[in-house]
Amino acid sequence: LAVKDPTAVERANLLNMAKLSIKGLIESALSFGRTLDSDYPPLQQFFVVMEHCLKHGLKVRKSFLSYNKTIWGPLELVEKLYPEAEEIAASVRDLPGLKTPLGRARAWLRLALMQKKMADYLRCLIIQRDLLSEFYEYHALMMEEEGAVIVGLLVGLNVIDANLCVKGEDLDSQVGVIDFSVYLKSDDDIGGKERNVQIAAILDQKNYVEELNRQLNSTVSSLHARVDSLEKSNTKLIEELAIAKNNIIKLQEENHQLRSENTLILMKTQHHLEATKVDVEAELQTYKHSRQGLDEMYSEARRQLREEAQLRQDMENELVVQVSMKHEIELAMKLLEKDIHEKQDTLIGLRQQLDEVKAINVEMYQKLQVSEDAMKEKNEIISRLEDKTNQINATMKQLEQRLQQAEKAQMEAEAEDEKLKQEYVNKSESLQNEFSQKEKQLLQLETDLKIEKEWRQTLEDDLQKEKETVSHLRTETQEIVTLKKEFLKLQEKKKQLKSICDDQEAALQELASKLSESKLKIEDIKEANKALQGQVWLKDKEATHCKLCEKEFSLSKRKHHCRNCGEIFCNACSDNELPLPSSPKPVRVCDSCHAILIQRCSSNVP
């Protein structure tokens, strides 16, 4: 026969004793039917068995006087691993009657049982085996699988309600001896199975209610966290709205300033344009008058000279050149318009647009100053041109007088020719002299015509310059029109921002209404929890008929229990449903008190 390991046998015996003690404690507590005291024998035996299980495989620690072998060391580790165990450790250390570590460990076990968290505390210890290796040997019960089994058995002790007085007991000097007579079977145990089944059903219902309470507490905590997060988000949104409103007010002030500046600039430009238009019209009228006189002179001179045809051809060529120049100017204008559209597309952001508008306004002001200087120069040129035109008029008058004199001389010559035909031969020499004089006069007239042509070219050049200035002024007016369009776009963007602000305010109001609704639902859940604390489940045997339709319950007609009034309805009578944010499905509601209904099974399992 193979020899068994004595440590394995010890672990198996301790596990069996733990099973028997936990089972006997639960059964006796169910038959006892109320909270347990510290004098209850099965409870004392359970603590003794737990001490033996925790002492198995402990390492011996040396001290100054003797060797120590206590379980307070590993139990003290729970405080670091499980934060909720700090209260137990602090209360155990503060107890005045405890002097030894074993007494502190016994008090710790009793407090953990009263809190119904002994299984959770020991589970944290078993998981951290690296830390337990400092206190236990490798073959100890807490280091093997038997420790995990005992922790699983301890979960069943959450059914028991214990009220233990630790302060007055002498826990240091107690002797831990296991009484095996308690765990021997008797005939009375076989007869009490039915009663134990009923008590187990009641305890199952109690555990179900406790689990529901825990779930409701978790949902309430999650709702509180959501409410806090929503409040924080609301505060942030309110701050952002205030900042946005301040920015909008600043933008409105800047818009008003820019509009006032633009109106002033427009007024100035209009005044300058009107003045320039008046001057140009006066110049055109004077030019027309001078041109009429020149045309009359040219019509009279064309009869005498053939060079005027060539001058006309030159003028026509110049006109063709001017037309081509006009086409080129129009193309340049179109290109400039395309450039302006591309620049408008590249504008990003309200602040950049405002900065560019300010810069454009400054440039326009500078251009106006430059245009004023140019207008002054043009006025001086116009005054000079007027002087020149006066001189031309004087020369024209002199030429007309000379022509009249020449005509009179011709008439006199014709009369003399008629009278002196007979004397033609004698006076041929005198006529030749006169003819030479007339040729000299024609030469003088030709020179005068050349001078007038030169004056006319200078006047045309001046007119072209004035047309260029007029075109520049037209471009400036077009730029002003584009500025107006940009202001309109800014106003539209401002309206969009206002609409966005209104939408955000509406969203905030909706969030506030949802928050108030969620708070009301939380209060309803709290009231339901308070109502559940004092209610007791009816037995399935007593609830056989529905309260409303008075029909028997079956598989098709399931039971639904009201949390508030305690009445039981079937699924056909409880058709009222309400949606809850915490549950994916709608919840059935009581017809009388409108509380939440809980479905009950036909068996004893919740």
Side-chain angles (χ1 to χ4, degrees), residues 26 120 188 207 247 254 354 367:
I26 292 169
D120 297 332
D188 296 331
N207 290 328
N247 290 324
E254 290 179 356
L354 292 171
K367 286 180 179 178

Side-chain angles (χ1 to χ4, degrees), residues 113-176:
L113 182 65
M114 282 194 287
Q115 280 190 347
K116 297 182 181 181
K117 290 186 178 180
M118 186 185 289
D120 297 332
Y121 295 156
L122 293 177
R123 184 172 61 81
C124 293
L125 272 177
I126 290 168
I127 292 168
Q128 302 291 331
R129 290 189 178 179
D130 296 334
L131 298 174
L132 283 177
S133 62
E134 296 179 0
F135 299 97
Y136 289 100
E137 299 290 342
Y138 67 94
H139 57 78
L141 185 139
M142 297 296 288
M143 299 289 287
E144 296 293 335
E145 294 180 356
E146 286 84 355
V149 176
I150 290 168
V151 171
L153 293 170
L154 289 174
V155 177
L157 294 177
N158 294 333
V159 179
I160 299 169
D161 294 328
N163 188 5
L164 307 176
C165 184
V166 184
K167 191 173 182 180
E169 290 189 4
D170 187 8
L171 300 174
D172 294 329
S173 61
Q174 285 184 2
V175 180

Side-chain angles (χ1 to χ4, degrees), residues 548 560-562 567 569-580 585-599:
L548 293 176
H560 291 276
H561 187 274
C562 181
E567 294 181 355
F569 305 97
C570 64
N571 57 353
C573 295
S574 59
D575 289 332
N576 295 325
E577 293 183 350
L578 284 174
L580 284 177
K585 295 181 179 180
V587 181
R588 295 183 182 273
V589 180
C590 180
D591 291 328
S592 59
C593 63
H594 299 287
I596 298 169
L597 297 178
I598 302 170
Q599 184 178 352

Side-chain angles (χ1 to χ4, degrees), residues 431-600:
L431 288 170
Q432 286 177 357
N433 293 323
E434 288 176 0
F435 183 74
S436 63
Q437 289 177 0
K438 287 178 181 179
E439 285 179 354
K440 290 178 182 178
Q441 287 178 0
L442 286 170
L443 291 171
Q444 288 178 358
L445 288 170
E446 287 177 357
T447 54
D448 293 331
L449 286 170
K450 288 180 181 179
I451 291 164
E452 288 174 359
K453 287 176 183 178
E454 290 176 357
W455 282 108
R456 187 175 178 180
Q457 287 178 358
T458 53
L459 289 170
E460 286 176 356
D461 294 331
D462 294 330
L463 284 170
Q464 286 179 359
K465 289 180 181 178
E466 288 173 357
K467 286 178 181 178
E468 289 176 357
T469 54
V470 170
S471 64
H472 285 299
L473 291 170
R474 285 178 183 173
T475 54
E476 289 175 356
T477 53
Q478 288 177 359
E479 288 177 356
I480 291 164
V481 172
T482 54
L483 289 172
K484 287 181 180 178
K485 290 180 181 178
E486 289 177 357
F487 276 118
L488 292 171
K489 289 181 181 178
L490 289 171
Q491 288 178 355
E492 290 177 357
K493 288 182 180 179
K494 182 182 173 184
K495 290 178 181 178
Q496 290 177 0
L497 288 171
K498 283 184 180 179
S499 63
I500 290 164
C501 290
D502 295 332
D503 294 334
Q504 288 178 354
E505 288 177 356
L508 286 172
Q509 290 177 358
E510 290 177 0
L511 286 171
S513 63
K514 289 181 181 178
L515 282 172
S516 62
E517 290 176 0
S518 62
K519 287 182 180 178
L520 292 171
K521 288 179 182 178
I522 290 163
E523 290 177 358
D524 293 334
I525 291 165
K526 287 181 180 178
E527 290 177 359
N529 288 327
K530 289 179 182 177
L532 275 172
Q533 291 177 0
Q535 295 293 329
V536 180
W537 284 90
L538 290 174
K539 294 181 180 180
D540 291 331
K541 293 179 180 179
E542 295 177 359
T544 59
H545 292 78
C546 179
K547 289 285 184 179
L548 293 176
C549 61
E550 296 182 356
K551 292 181 181 180
E552 292 184 357
F553 294 111
S554 63
L555 291 173
S556 61
K557 292 188 176 183
R558 296 184 296 279
K559 297 177 183 180
H560 291 276
H561 187 274
C562 181
R563 298 181 176 181
N564 191 13
C565 60
E567 294 181 355
I568 298 173
F569 305 97
C570 64
N571 57 353
C573 295
S574 59
D575 289 332
N576 295 325
E577 293 183 350
L578 284 174
L580 284 177
S582 61
S583 65
K585 295 181 179 180
V587 181
R588 295 183 182 273
V589 180
C590 180
D591 291 328
S592 59
C593 63
H594 299 287
I596 298 169
L597 297 178
I598 302 170
Q599 184 178 352
R600 296 182 65 183

